[in-house]
Amino acid sequence: MASAASSRDVARQTQSLRETLQHHEYLYYVLDQPNISDAEYDGLMQQLQALEQQHPELVTPDSPTQRVGGQPREGFVKAHHTAQMMSLDNAFGEQALRDFDRRVREKANLDVVDYVGELKLDGISMAVHFTDGRMIRALTRGDGLTGEEITENARTIRSLPLVITKKGIPAQFEVRGEVVMNRKSFERMNAQRLKDELPTFANPRNAAAGSLRMLDPKVTASRRLDFFAYSLLAGGEAYLDYHWDALEMLAGLGFKVNPHRERLAGIDAAIRYGNEWLEKRHSLPYEIDGLVLKVNSFEQQRRLGATSKAPRWAIAYKLTAQQAETVVEGIDVQVGRTGAITPRALLRPVQVGGVTVSRATLHNADEIERLGLQIGDRVLIERSGDVIPKVLRVIEEGKDRQPFPMPVDCPVCGTKLVREEGEAILRCINANCPARLKESVLHFASRRAMNIDGLGDVLVEQLVDGGLVKSVADLYRLDADRLESLERMGKKSSEKLVKNIDSSRKAALPRVIFGLGIRFVGERTAQILADHFASIDAIEKASAEELEEAEEVGPRIAVAIQEFFAEPRNQALLDELLQAGLQFSQEKKTVSKGAGKLEGRTFVLTGTLPNWTRDEAAERIEAAGGKVTGSVSKKTDYVVAGENAGSKLDKARELGITVLGEAELIELLEG
Ligand code: IVH
């Protein structure tokens, strides 16, 4: 009797340990939020291993101890899918996405379609079958109709739950999703393979695919794979009424569902989501090869149906082809704010990712030489995001190709160009060169500097060429009547511009420092200098050593600052700007009113706020001692959300972080 009771105890203890470990696996691998240390986890695991060793009859296939992989096999067994695992059609660029939406609306007879946006994870798909709450089989996609059984390998993926305890789900269901390897694991694995003199994998996708299809599951276990669920089926059909609800249910059951999903009402929201993530994709810990847009309602999905390969209710949104071939028809040079001369290829216009490109930067003379480029050559160009297109290489030399000699004199003011020692760049050193002046004015007025709205390049050109602006300080002498006399300037826009110029006098010190356009002094350095010295006067008086006492300021920046102040023309400019009433100083941080109110607090801003730009909100938070970061994590104290807030807001809710609106932020700032 006694021994029967104690063996029951052991069984109970084993089961309880197993559940505890499963819970911690969930916190660690699915939610990324462990609440015990690795050592504590290992301790619990060792206890379970010891118990299972003493009582082998208690070992279950879904015990956390079994994640290490079982016996190797000779080959894989094939099995049919419950329903075809389809692929997705691609849409390259916005127009293709709008065409998809039009087809959906026409076919489903809808005005506006509710979509769900998801990341298109770049891994390999897997179907996992559960019976009575236990994982019984996992299959690769194979040809879509039949896949290979990789159950033992799937068992080793820590973020795939093997036991589902929640009720309210059919006895038999299937979860489909993507197996990925994150960049870090990929890099670590390849580094190890290099050391072991093994061939490396070309990308995380190949690594995930190779690892999942290992005949020896122990090898799979040693590779850090992740499973993200994106579909829930029962009897080969969608479960529930809406895809969004199915995703929520999957998350509730303990599956890892990608947090960057979003409900999108209509195609404009979908395009905004798509472009946002295409741009941010490099910040993700794993690779994506686009976004997926799915019609939310399963009833509508059924009405839309599928072609032989892909559903009509979903589409993969991908980056447009970013490269194109064209002919270099000429080369000219531009003069930048610092006098730097940049050669530019004038191209036969060509479409690159939906945009017509007719210019590409050639950086400097050395680059032209490196490319072996001459006018008339056929070249490959590349455009990525907002960056200026560039020439990648010459594809074919032109028949009547002409070399391009870099100019000896500034093409704008005629001053002899100078090439400083050790520099690849030619410069116009005439501080009064109109080309330099135009660029300086544009920089001074730009959003992140003095933020003078309405001062664009056409107007600046008119102002400089017409002699109305001979230095940045002249901006503060412009009046509305004068402006109105210019071509294409009305009364209203002239008055508005004067008002904007006027209010820029109040721009904070860091903006003024940045706006001056001192070499190597970007926005961040300007902020650091303002914090450290609190006035332009103090920066000017500082020795090189004193300048270097400021964070991140090294000898190169210190020299550039001193050179700037040593130039008499800049001295004259500073006098005029001071007279114009610009902010040349600020209160020392420690004594400024309200400072420290948000000391030690970390904020993330998302969406459009009603009155403040995000930069303004960030400036105020920082002025009160708070810190503003770009992504939401457990360390975030507050998320300030405005209209159209996206995944950051979702993440905040997921992590239980306090979400504030603009009004609440003001309250917090004002105490
Ligand atoms: S849905 C019928 N959602 O992309 C729709 N697929 O080319 C089936 N993929 O084989 C797929 N992330 O391996 C869907 N969030 C996601 C996805 C995703 C990656 C992969 C999947 C599929 C391929 C389609």
Side-chain angles (χ1 to χ4, degrees), residues 61 89 164 176 199 202 300 336 493 524 545 570 584 613 622 670:
D89 282 336
I164 306 290
R176 292 180 177 180
Q300 288 169 10
S493 48
R524 186 175 162 77
E545 293 75 41
N570 291 336
F584 269 38
T613 64
E622 281 166 0
E670 290 174 355

Side-chain angles (χ1 to χ4, degrees), residues 84-90 118-126 141 177-178 230-231 289 292 294 309-311 313-314 316 318:
Q84 187 181 350
M85 281 188 89
M86 291 207 264
S87 55
L88 292 166
D89 282 336
N90 293 323
E118 290 171 35
L119 305 185
K120 189 170 187 300
L121 302 159
D122 200 8
I124 68 161
S125 44
M126 178 168 82
R141 176 172 178 275
E178 198 79 355
Y230 56 64
S231 139
D289 62 335
V292 189
K294 299 174 183 174
K309 285 200 321 266
W313 44 261
K318 296 205 166 168

Side-chain angles (χ1 to χ4, degrees), residues 484 489-497:
E484 220 186 307
M489 282 298 281
K491 190 173 164 55
K492 248 197 172 152
S493 48
S494 301
E495 280 171 1
K496 210 162 164 194
L497 179 59

